Amino acid sequence: RIILMDRHPVEDCYPSPEISPGKVIEIQLDALQNNELPTPDHGIEICYRFASPRNKIGTGPINHFKQMIHSPLYECMINFDRSRFSPISPEGNMWNIIITKNGQDYQFRWVLSRQQGGEYIGCWMTDAVLMSG
């Protein structure tokens, strides 16, 4: 499990201006890889915490978000075997993610933005996850 700042297990993580874009990616990937811990779909719930307000407008409430992640396009992200990720942009707002599950690689582009207002001001959050390969 990823420990954030040596104090908080991933399941206790929430968006914060102190969390870098790379750490946001790590938190979400760790949550999805261990989706069923400590309860079913808890990893998806953590990812939803880090979805930007703009993203949530498109994905809808948490139950719809869970259905979307369990859909054929994204289900490879749940309980995958391993992942690799690297920034595409120097600002840290675009990331290339490769997820391996059952010997098959899946490539995604993760798009983040630093929130400019509201309750998440200054926080890096996910705007979109797009299949790219």
Side-chain angles (χ1 to χ4, degrees), residues 33-103:
Q33 186 174 25
N34 300 286
N35 186 51
E36 307 305 317
L37 298 175
T39 57
D41 286 340
H42 187 70
I44 295 172
E45 292 168 6
I46 291 171
C47 286
Y48 191 74
R49 289 179 198 165
F50 285 89
S52 69
R54 182 176 18 182
N55 188 346
K56 288 178 180 175
I57 290 170
T59 62
I62 183 66
N63 288 334
H64 186 265
F65 188 78
K66 286 179 183 182
Q67 289 174 355
M68 182 184 71
I69 300 299
H70 281 287
S71 74
L73 181 62
Y74 295 107
E75 68 184 347
C76 62
M77 293 182 168
I78 300 171
N79 303 317
F80 60 86
D81 301 318
R82 66 181 177 279
S83 65
R84 303 181 304 281
F85 61 94
S86 59
I88 296 172
S89 64
E91 303 83 27
N93 65 323
M94 293 189 69
W95 293 75
N96 185 50
I97 315 290
I98 299 173
I99 290 174
T100 304
K101 185 173 183 177
N102 301 324

Side-chain angles (χ1 to χ4, degrees), residues 15-18 53 113-125:
S16 166
E18 289 80 39
S113 65
R114 186 182 290 265
Q115 302 308 294
Q116 301 300 310
E119 70 177 293
Y120 298 110
I121 190 166
C123 298
W124 284 97
M125 300 181 84

Side-chain angles (χ1 to χ4, degrees), residues 88 95-98 106-110 129-133:
I88 296 172
W95 293 75
N96 185 50
I97 315 290
I98 299 173
Y106 303 88
Q107 189 167 346
F108 293 90
R109 179 157 296 158
W110 229 284
V129 175
L130 311 165
M131 185 164 262
S132 61

